[in-house]
């Protein structure tokens, strides 16, 4: 329980306060450090800085600071402070924390109070005359107290402007003023050799010399005097700067011939308390800032300034006890001045990088400290929970809402609901109550909603009278029915369901719900309702499922849910008195089937969701088949494919010996059995497509047979059959119902190995294989257990370990990607046997992957199968095996690679239809190849040989995001750019071009990678920035020399970029220590040289002031180090400029090539990890210009396109398969809605 001072004042956490201080600029805008929250209106973020204001870059003033030791607890009376100056505007900041009371274990940070929560108790802005020694025309001071009752911390924040006024700065930096001082000095002593002109003396030298004088005054024990005739002094400062010098504590001697340096007590070290020392330390830091901002050319003849202050952000956090606060997962706090922070964070006194628990803590503090504005804070919490997609915050918001919490938006909506002014605080309570009662009389069925709105208004107005009326219970039968949302014709069981729903929506309504049921029970004299009020039950123990089917008169247990519900309704109409018994039967069936639709009907009394004849139909999940559903929805929208399937008999191949002899798909012969299986698949797909067109429900359920044929290739089906027949054990027979054997549970599929599957038919043409690694994408769409899946958004998948090549892999539960169980084929990568990519190539070393995938892995020819006229070696077990098939084979299908599933679909469709022509090598050409396949040419340039060219089909392009976020063009470049390969132990160069572009372009995003260090796979969630339209001109082989020249130029630029980026990392990230007290840090090379130079200068023996306790070092060493530092800085600047130039050139290189346009049509999405997750698909409707989300049984419109194109920070939904269609043929290629609902 958080205990805070309940005096009504808002506050903010320590990290938020630091952020606001950094953004505060009272000297320019007059805006102070905000601490108050406007009622019912979120505070605007302090990052919204007005033009001309400074977002401070605070640097340490160590000689004025007292920093607490790390991991220490404050003691009674402890005082810590951090003094800082801005490295941009030169203003000064002092943060001082005092512990004035007893210090206990509860002192922040603690378990209950992980951060200080500060509330401002005093603020003042005092004006000070410019003649004052401190030189501050204004000083802004704020005092804060921690709101925790057991923390005595008091924070003082003092902001003050620069000590050097603009007039003083002008004296030191105006070249005309400096030149005038030189001329005056020459005129006073014409016989003396002076600097001939201002060319030898500029602002850099003037600032440096004054800073050196101040440094001497602070650190030299013996006070020093400077002659007024000293050439440096007379030309740099002279009489013009008398006021400045006196302000700084310089004093002239009696003869006015010399100036004494300021007299300070150098015997006492830091922290400085003396006002003059503080002033000089401040001015010394300001002069360092001014010097650092001068052009480098001014310092050419002057010793570089020794000025390398440390940022004070960490010390601020240490002083305020928030150095290592809990942050969001993978949070990287980067300030983008062009982007506004969500204002709700400022309202809660929090930051956007807070963890969910800290954000919850900030909300609790604000709500308790400022209860008047609790709706405002709740609005912010609820909004951030939605934006962050945070389950803990959403749960907390829902819990608070169920407990009666409401937001500022709810208050406004409540007033608007009754058509009252939201600002109508002058309205009488009786007037509001009268409005409510009149509305209830007009619409009694909406009474519950009206009561909730009235309750919100009552709490917002703090009106006990209004709240009493709002919470009053129902009193009549009509009110009870209206409150539940029921009507008099509804059966008692439905009344109970409605009451349960009401209580589920708001726990606070339980008392009213029970009272409503009691009133209805008394009116109807219902023993069912009385029993529910007493026991919570309306029915007896669960009915046996066999008896349940019999009770409803159902013999066929394979009936779909809608048919079962229809039969239930008919039975109830025939015999209403048996409603309770019939509902028990329906409940047993729904439980056995894990049917969401039946359960929904039992809870709501509605037969099904509403459907529209103009809206696509969803596909119910039949057991981790969300990926399959997405794939089927996509195929249905491809108009030529849909027409082919619906009119399949026109395209069906006649299975004659002559046709089979010529049948060649995927560079191999196809067997009769494969063609027969493929045509069966086409008819199953036809059945689904027709149902999608004519269904009178919002969703339909795909058949298991279609799922089996889609997910399982003929080879794996044969392997499973052999495995099943070879098993010595089967599920036990538990008995019979109507002559049908009832079997026990079927165990999970046995482990398989690559050696168990024959990958090539004898005599068939051998294709060179590319072995898939852990980076290949694979889909898991089945459940390896025998338990029926529950209805939900996530599909959880468990598989046994698999064995490939004799080595057992660790268990991988991967819905999206999984190493294939047999070898896959990639036609574009098929080179000569001696051609293999090298690992030394720069692109590959950096994680670059991406290539046009050849025709998807064509399922290998069947082996060890018996001729059609001969029986199999071992007779199958007829009933048992058939009963096992749907579940067991789908389990095996769950292990198939994504590309294997797509390949299986395309392969079967090609097998099922007749060819339109043949390639030179005998490969079949048909409507499928013409629709989904393109061609690439692979070029290999080996020194001393002619260019090798090979043209082959491709069905999709693989792209990679493992190296980090990228846009779609950068990803595609990885498939077509030139790379080094090894050919016959000689390095050659290879690149690809598109020789024939497919009407439908498929792009596979490879996301699952393998961490060799951890020996585990992981999913790369890096963002892939999609474009609505892409242009493939740059990759076309038909572009000729002009485009090839542009491509070669980009390859050269990319090689330069790689080298530049590598050199940039070398210059910017060098591990070093400042001293033994500092941790290992990454410094730039320039900083490393500068720090080393400064250190050497500090220990030199022969300096200008006669110190003799140092180390003799040659005077040229520091100068050489500074030269190296400057050289490193210049090199880095040149590299960054060159990188920016090359990136701009790459972005613009192909901007004029826009003929081969492709429009984005579908985006397959996966949310989850490498172990589990859920799939859905977004499909664009070109006719209606809208995106739809197909999420299993639900098809909804996407109202905000950012849902498709942008990516969340945590647990993002990531695209893994993309479909682009040729823009000029898009209306002929895709059609999102095809419905024909007759009989309306």
């Amino acid at each position: 329980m958080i205990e805070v001072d309940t005096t009504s004042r808002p506050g903010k956490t320590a990290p938020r306060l630091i952020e606001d201080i950094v953004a505060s600029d009272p000297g320019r805008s007059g805006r102070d450090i905000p601490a108050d929250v406007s009622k019912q209106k979120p505070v605007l973020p302090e990052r919204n800085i007005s033009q001309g204001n400074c977002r401070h870059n605070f640097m340490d003033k160590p000689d004025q600071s007292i920093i607490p030791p790390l991991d220490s607890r404050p003691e009674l009376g402890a005082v810590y402070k951090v003094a800082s100056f801005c490295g941009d505007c030169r203003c000064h900041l002092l943060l001082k924390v005092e512990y004035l009371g007893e210090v206990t274990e509860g002192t922040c940070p603690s378990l209950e109070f992980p951060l200080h929560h500060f509330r401002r108790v005093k603020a003042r802005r005092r004006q000070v005359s410019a003649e004052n020694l401190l030189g501050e025309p204004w000083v802004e001071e704020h005092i804060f107290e921690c709101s925790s009752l057991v923390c005595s911390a008091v924070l003082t924040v003092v902001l003050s402007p620069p000590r050097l006024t603009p007039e003083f700065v002008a004296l030191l930096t105006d070249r005309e003023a400096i030149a005038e001082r030189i001329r005056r000095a020459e005129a006073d002593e014409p016989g003396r050799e002076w600097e001939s002109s201002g060319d030898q003396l500029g602002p850099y030298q003037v600032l440096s010399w004054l800073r050196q004088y101040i440094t001497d005054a602070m650190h030299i024990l013996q006070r020093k005097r400077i002659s007024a005739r000293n050439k440096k002094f007379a030309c740099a400062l002279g009489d013009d700067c008398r006021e400045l010098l006196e302000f700084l504590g310089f004093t002239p001697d009696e003869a006015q011939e010399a100036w004494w340096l300021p007299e300070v007590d150098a015997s006492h070290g830091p922290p400085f308390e003396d006002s003059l020392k503080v002033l000089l330390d401040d001015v010394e830091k300001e002069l360092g800032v001014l010097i650092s901002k001068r052009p480098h050319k001014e310092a050419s003849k002057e010793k570089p300034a020794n000025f390398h202050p440390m940022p004070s952000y960490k010390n601020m956090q240490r002083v305020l006890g928030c150095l290592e606060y809990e942050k969001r997962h993978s949070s990287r706090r980067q300030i983008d001045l062009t982007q506004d922070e969500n204002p709700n964070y400022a309202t809660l006194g929090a930051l956007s990088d807070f963890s969910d628990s800290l954000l919850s803590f900030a909300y609790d503090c604000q709500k308790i400290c400022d209860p008047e504005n609790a709706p405002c804070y709740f609005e912010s919490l609820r909004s951030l929970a939605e934006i962050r997609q945070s389950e803990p915050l959403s749960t907390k918001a829902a819990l608070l809402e169920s407990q009666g919490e409401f937001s500022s938006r709810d208050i406004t909506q409540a007033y608007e609901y009754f058509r009252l002014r939201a600002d109508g605080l002058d309205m009488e309570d009786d007037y509001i109550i009268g409005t409510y009662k009149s509305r209830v009389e007009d619409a009694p069925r909406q009474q519950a909603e009206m009561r909730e709105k009235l309750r919100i208004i009552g709490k917002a107005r703090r009106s006990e009278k209004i709240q009493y009326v709002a919470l009053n219970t129902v009193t009549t039968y009509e009110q009870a029915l209206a409150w539940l949302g029921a009507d008099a014709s509804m059966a008692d069981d439905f009344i109970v369901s409605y009451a349960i729903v009401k209580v589920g929506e708001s726990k606070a309504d339980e008392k009213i719900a029970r009272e409503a049921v009691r009133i209805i029970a008394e009116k109807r004299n219902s023993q069912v309702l009385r029993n529910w009020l007493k026991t919570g039950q309306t029915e007896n123990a669960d009915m046996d499922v066999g008896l349940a089917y019999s009770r409803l008169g159902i013999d066929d247990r394979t009936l779909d849910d809608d048919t079962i519900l229809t039969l239930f309704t008919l039975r109830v109409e025939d015999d209403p008195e048996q409603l309770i018994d019939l509902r028990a039967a329906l409940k047993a069936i729904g439980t056995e089937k894990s049917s969401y639709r039946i359960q929904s009907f039992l809870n709501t009394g509605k037969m099904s969701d509403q459907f529209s004849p103009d809206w696509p139909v969803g596909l119910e999940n039949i057991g981790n088949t969300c990926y399959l559903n997405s794939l089927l929805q996509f195929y249905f929208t491809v108009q030529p494919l849909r027409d082919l399937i619906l009119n399949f008999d026109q395209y069906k191949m006649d299975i004659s010996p002559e046709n089979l002899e010529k049948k060649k798909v995927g560079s191999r012969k196809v067997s009769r059995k494969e063609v027969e299986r493929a045509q069966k698949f086409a008819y199953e797909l036809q059945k689904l497509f027709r149902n999608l067109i004519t269904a009178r429900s919002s969703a339909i359920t795909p058949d298991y047979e279609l799922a089996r044929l889609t997910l399982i290739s003929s080879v794996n089906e044969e392997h499973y059959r052999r495995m099943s027949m070879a098993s010595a054990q089967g599920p036990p027979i538990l008995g019979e119902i109507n002559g049908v054997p009832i079997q026990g549970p079927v165990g999970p599929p046995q482990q398989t190995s690559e050696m168990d599957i024959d990958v090539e038919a004898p005599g068939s043409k051998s294709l060179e294989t590319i072995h898939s690694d852990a980076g290949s994408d694979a889909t898991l769409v089945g459940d390896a257990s025998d338990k029926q899946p529950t209805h939900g958004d996530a599909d959880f998948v468990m598989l046994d370990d698999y064995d490939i090549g004799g080595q057992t892999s660790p268990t991988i539960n991967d819905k999206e990607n999984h190493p294939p169980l047999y070898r896959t084929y990639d036609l574009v990568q098929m080179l000569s046997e001696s051609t293999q990519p090298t690992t030394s190539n720069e692109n590959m070393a950096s994680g670059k992957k991406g290539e046009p995938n050849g025709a998807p892995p064509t399922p290998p020819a069947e082996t060890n199968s018996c001729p059609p006229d001969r029986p199999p070696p071992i007779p199958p077990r007829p009933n048992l095996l058939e009963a096992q098939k749907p579940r067991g084979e789908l389990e095996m299908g769950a292990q198939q690679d994504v590309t294997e599933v797509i390949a299986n679909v395309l392969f079967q469709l090609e097998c099922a239809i007749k060819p339109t022509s043949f390639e030179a090598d005998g490969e079949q050409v048909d409507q499928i190849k013409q629709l989904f396949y393109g061609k690439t040419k692979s070029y290999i340039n080996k020194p001393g040989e002619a260019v090798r060219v090979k043209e082959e089909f491709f069905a999709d392009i693989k792209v990679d995001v493992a190296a980090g976020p990228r846009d779609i063009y950068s990803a595609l470049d990885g498939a077509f750019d030139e790379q080094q390969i090894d050919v016959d132990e000689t390095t050659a160069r290879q690149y690809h071009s598109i020789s024939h572009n497919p009407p439908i372009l498929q792009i596979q995003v490879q996301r699952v990678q393998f961490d060799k260090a951890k020996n585990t796979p992981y999913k790369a969630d890096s963002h892939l920035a999609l474009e609505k339209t892409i242009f493939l001109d740059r990759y076309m082989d038909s572009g000729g020399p002009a485009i090839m020249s542009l491509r070669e130029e980009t390859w050269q630029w990319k090689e330069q970029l790689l080298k530049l980026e590598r050199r940039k990392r070398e210059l910017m990230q060098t591990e070093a220590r400042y001293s033994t007290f500092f941790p290992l840090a990454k410094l730039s090379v320039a900083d490393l040289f500068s720090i080393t130079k400064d250190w050497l200068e500090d220990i030199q023996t022969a300096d200008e002031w006669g110190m003799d306790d140092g180390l003799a070092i040659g005077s040229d060493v520091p100068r050489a180090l500074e030269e190296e530092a400057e050289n490193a800085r210049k090199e880095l600047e040149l590299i960054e400029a060159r990188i920016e130039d090359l990136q701009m050139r790459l972005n613009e290189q192909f901007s004029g090539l826009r003929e081969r346009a492709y429009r984005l049509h579908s985006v397959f999405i996966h949310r989850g990890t490498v172990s589990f997750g859920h799939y859905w698909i977004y499909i664009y409707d070109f006719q209606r210009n809208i995106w739809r989300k197909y999420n299993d049984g639900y098809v909804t419109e996407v109202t905000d396109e950012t849902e498709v194109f942008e990516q969340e920070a945590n647990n993002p939904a990531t695209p893994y398969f993309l479909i682009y269609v040729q823009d000029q043929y898009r209306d002929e290629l895709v059609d999102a809605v095809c419905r024909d609902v007759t009989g309306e």
Side-chain angles (χ1 to χ4, degrees), residues 439-490:
R439 291 287 302 274
V440 170
E441 291 177 0
D442 295 338
R445 293 179 64 87
Q446 299 176 13
Q447 184 179 23
E449 184 179 7
M450 294 181 191
R451 284 186 182 277
E452 175 61 16
K453 302 295 184 185
L454 186 66
R455 181 190 70 84
I456 292 173
I457 294 175
K459 293 201 70 172
R461 295 170 63 94
R462 294 175 179 79
S463 169
E464 294 291 339
K465 186 175 183 179
I466 293 178
Q467 292 183 61
Y468 175 79
V469 173
L471 297 177
N472 191 21
T473 187
V474 294
T475 57
T476 67
Y477 177 67
E478 290 75 17
Q479 288 178 347
L481 290 172
W483 189 87
L484 289 174
D487 57 56
S489 64
M490 284 188 175

Side-chain angles (χ1 to χ4, degrees), residues 777-780 814-817 898 1007 1019 1166 1175 1216:
D777 290 290
T779 180
L780 304 182
D814 175 14
K815 271 193 62 62
E816 181 178 3
N817 299 285
V898 168
R1007 290 196 174 273
K1019 178 185 175 185
H1166 173 264
Y1175 294 92
Y1216 73 94

Side-chain angles (χ1 to χ4, degrees), residues 302-304 1092-1104 1111-1124:
E302 184 67 22
K303 176 182 175 182
T1092 305
K1093 187 266 297 183
D1094 294 343
W1095 178 73
L1096 291 176
E1097 287 183 338
D1098 289 342
I1099 64 172
Q1100 282 183 324
T1101 55
D1103 68 5
E1104 299 177 13
L1111 178 67
I1113 296 175
S1115 60
D1116 59 334
V1117 175
R1119 188 184 311 112
L1121 288 171
E1122 184 58 31
E1123 290 176 357
E1124 291 298 327

Side-chain angles (χ1 to χ4, degrees), residues 32 212 270 643 667 710 1055:
D32 67 355
Q212 186 63 54
D643 292 343
S667 300
T710 305
E1055 288 185 3

Side-chain angles (χ1 to χ4, degrees), residues 621-676:
N621 195 314
I622 59 175
N624 296 339
T625 55
C626 49
Y627 164 69
L628 172 66
N629 289 344
S630 299
L631 189 63
L632 294 174
Q633 291 283 18
F634 158 62
Y635 285 139
F636 182 71
T637 64
V638 180
Q639 188 167 324
L641 175 60
R642 187 174 65 215
D643 292 343
L644 183 150
I645 293 300
L646 293 175
N647 301 283
F648 176 63
D649 289 338
Q650 300 178 19
Y651 301 92
K652 179 180 177 181
M653 189 190 86
D654 178 29
I655 309 178
S656 65
E658 295 80 12
N659 290 338
L660 285 174
E661 178 64 27
K662 294 185 293 182
K663 190 78 169 179
K664 189 176 182 182
V665 178
S667 300
R668 72 170 177 83
K669 295 287 188 180
V670 179
S671 69
R672 169 184 288 271
K673 187 175 181 180
E674 286 176 308
V675 175
E676 291 173 343

